[in-house]
Amino acid sequence: MSDKRPTEAEQAVALADSLAEGRLDRRSFVRGALALGLGLPSIAAVLQACSGEAPEAAKAPEGAAATAPVPAGPPDLGPMEKELKICNWSDYIAEDTIANFEKETGVKVTYDTFESNEELIGKLQAGATGYDLVCPSGYAVQVLLALKLLEPLNPKYLPNQGNIATQFRKTAFDPTDAHTVPWQWGITGIAYRADKVKAPPDSWAVFHDPQYKGKLTMMDDMRDVIGAWLKFRGKSLNSTVAEDLAAAKADSLTAKALLQSFVSAPVKGQLVAGDVWIAQLWNGDTIQAKAENDKIEWVLPKEGGAIWCDSMVMPKGAPNKRAAHAFLDYILRPEVGAAISNFTGYGSPNSAATAKMEKPVAYPTDEQMKLLEFQADLAGASGDWDQVWTEVKAG
Ligand code: SPD
């Protein structure tokens, strides 16, 4: 007989299983869940998921046949698999997050990284990645959903889902919370070496300033670069208007003549070393660099920039779905979520985790939000953007 005692998360899943399979009534479930320390929002989420009741919007109209079939939810998952394969952005997880999960569950995790949403979408479109969890930004979730490349999640296995902050529920990219568990949110702005620049930059125009030729970088990321030049001209960073894109292309090419390179997360080392003085960069990665060199600062340009939320999703055909859910519920624990954001420097979409963070990143106020815009799916215009980016890279 094994002497391994079930963890609280496993007990919570077993409790939810018993409720779903009718071996436990709702009152006993609530009593057991409270004894395990589950929060009321998590308990309510499981009760709703197990109620068999269709959501308000999906309910049959008055007078419809009482026997109309209720749409089936995601299927129950089998036993926990022994492996899990994750693909995430680089520098985006605490050092012990994976090791602690492996120790607790016995699941062996393979962890790969990617550097842009377009790289991730390309991998998934090519098929057969074997990934169980990947972490696209909101607009890329919309792209993957449109391509039918995602599996729905089963809330029955996510009792900690109730810890997610309200801003990150029922989002534009996942209106029913059926496919995503939000991971981190952040903002694209400008990192700079305060000891090297003449004056702190406050505009995307700094990437057109010849005095910094060779000391500048912008990200190797179509949405961030073209989006920045759209904001610079007072346009939406999701614009699909031909003239706006033509202007953004011209601005990108003017900048390119002064840039050392297009580079994303790896620029941190160059900023620390002083080879790069001014870099388009995400706020959290800048905080990671600042930990190594306190002369590094970050600013949101006066013209504004992108705010985004990256979420864990399960690609179509994920081979280890039960282990994927176990990992998602694990990262939704307050202390695990807090440790991840303490390392990454980004905001946590988990309010219980934010409450435990050393230096929580505050969500922008309504006033600050006026400068920020969420990136959205470009749908039919993505080919036009690809064309602009290809010409910028080749130009
Ligand atoms: N090092 C992790 C950075 C994650 C950035 N993701 C969002 C990009 C939005 N364009």
Side-chain angles (χ1 to χ4, degrees):
M1 202 174 102
S2 159
D3 61 353
K4 193 170 170 285
R5 300 183 53 192
T7 63
E8 278 182 13
E10 285 166 345
Q11 290 179 55
V13 170
L15 212 56
D17 276 344
S18 304
L19 174 68
E21 287 156 17
R23 284 180 277 115
L24 202 65
D25 62 28
R26 293 164 71 84
R27 185 185 293 265
S28 312
F29 167 77
V30 173
R31 221 180 286 127
L34 287 173
L36 275 177
L38 291 193
L40 288 178
S42 311
I43 294 174
V46 175
L47 285 174
Q48 195 195 344
C50 295
S51 68
E53 214 178 275
E56 253 342 283
K59 280 184 185 164
E62 200 105 342
T67 52
V70 175
D76 277 358
L77 304 171
M80 183 86 87
E81 302 87 1
K82 294 195 165 19
E83 288 170 34
L84 180 65
K85 199 169 169 196
I86 301 174
C87 193
N88 200 353
W89 298 82
S90 61
D91 306 328
Y92 218 27
I93 192 163
E95 273 162 5
D96 58 359
T97 310
I98 297 293
N100 289 345
F101 177 75
E102 290 184 324
K103 209 182 305 159
E104 186 175 309
T105 59
V107 171
K108 172 87 192 82
V109 179
T110 305
Y111 191 86
D112 295 339
T113 57
F114 63 91
E115 298 298 337
S116 76
N117 285 300
E118 286 61 41
E119 178 191 342
L120 175 66
I121 293 168
K123 274 183 203 258
L124 296 177
Q125 270 186 303
T129 59
Y131 290 127
D132 301 299
L133 291 171
V134 299
C135 194
S137 305
Y139 78 89
V141 171
Q142 293 175 309
V143 172
L144 294 171
L145 278 171
L147 292 169
K148 300 203 182 320
L149 286 174
L150 299 183
E151 300 272 1
L153 300 172
N154 189 333
K156 185 172 105 176
Y157 300 92
L158 301 171
N160 289 327
Q161 219 172 12
N163 289 335
I164 298 170
T166 35
Q167 299 98 315
F168 299 98
R169 298 191 199 184
K170 308 212 179 330
T171 53
F173 54 85
D174 187 15
T176 59
D177 291 339
H179 292 89
T180 57
V181 167
W183 179 263
Q184 306 281 274
W185 66 266
I187 297 174
T188 304
I190 301 175
Y192 62 97
R193 282 283 300 254
D195 55 335
K196 307 276 191 195
V197 294
K198 290 235 172 66
D202 69 347
S203 161
W204 293 113
V206 74
F207 293 101
H208 286 171
D209 187 340
Q211 72 173 313
Y212 295 126
K213 185 173 175 138
K215 296 294 180 189
L216 303 164
T217 62
M218 292 191 83
M219 279 190 284
D220 193 6
D221 188 306
M222 168 178 98
R223 293 302 301 262
D224 278 324
V225 173
I226 298 174
W229 292 117
L230 285 167
K231 291 305 275 183
F232 178 62
R233 298 284 169 191
K235 308 295 179 189
S236 162
L237 52 72
N238 296 308
S239 176
T240 57
V241 176
E243 303 84 75
D244 297 352
L245 288 175
K249 178 181 152 189
D251 283 329
S252 301
L253 286 169
T254 306
K256 189 182 174 190
L258 305 177
L259 298 184
Q260 194 178 109
S261 61
F262 287 112
V263 54
S264 299
V267 79
K268 295 195 288 293
Q270 292 161 272
L271 276 167
V272 169
D275 300 335
V276 169
W277 295 355
I278 303 172
Q280 183 187 31
L281 192 56
W282 306 300
N283 57 331
D285 278 57
T286 307
I287 287 175
Q288 293 173 32
K290 191 175 172 63
E292 290 181 51
N293 186 326
D294 67 1
K295 300 287 189 293
I296 296 171
E297 302 293 346
W298 183 88
V299 66
L300 175 67
K302 61 184 178 203
E303 301 91 357
I307 179 168
W308 36 264
C309 177
D310 299 334
S311 299
M312 281 287 170
V313 296
M314 203 165 60
K316 201 83 188 158
N320 304 297
K321 295 190 178 63
R322 182 69 184 258
H325 281 75
F327 183 78
L328 293 177
D329 206 52
Y330 162 78
I331 61 108
L332 283 170
R333 289 183 202 165
E335 64 285 2
V336 178
I340 293 172
S341 289
N342 282 338
F343 173 84
T344 64
Y346 287 104
S348 175
N350 177 328
S351 44
T354 302
K356 285 189 174 293
M357 280 176 67
E358 291 152 13
K359 289 186 196 159
V361 184
Y363 194 70
T365 60
D366 288 350
E367 196 53 33
Q368 292 165 328
M369 277 307 276
K370 289 183 187 154
L371 279 182
L372 297 168
E373 215 182 330
F374 277 98
Q375 295 164 325
D377 181 14
L378 302 167
S382 58
D384 298 340
W385 273 66
D386 287 341
Q387 180 68 26
V388 168
W389 186 235
T390 304
E391 287 168 12
V392 169
K393 291 297 283 285

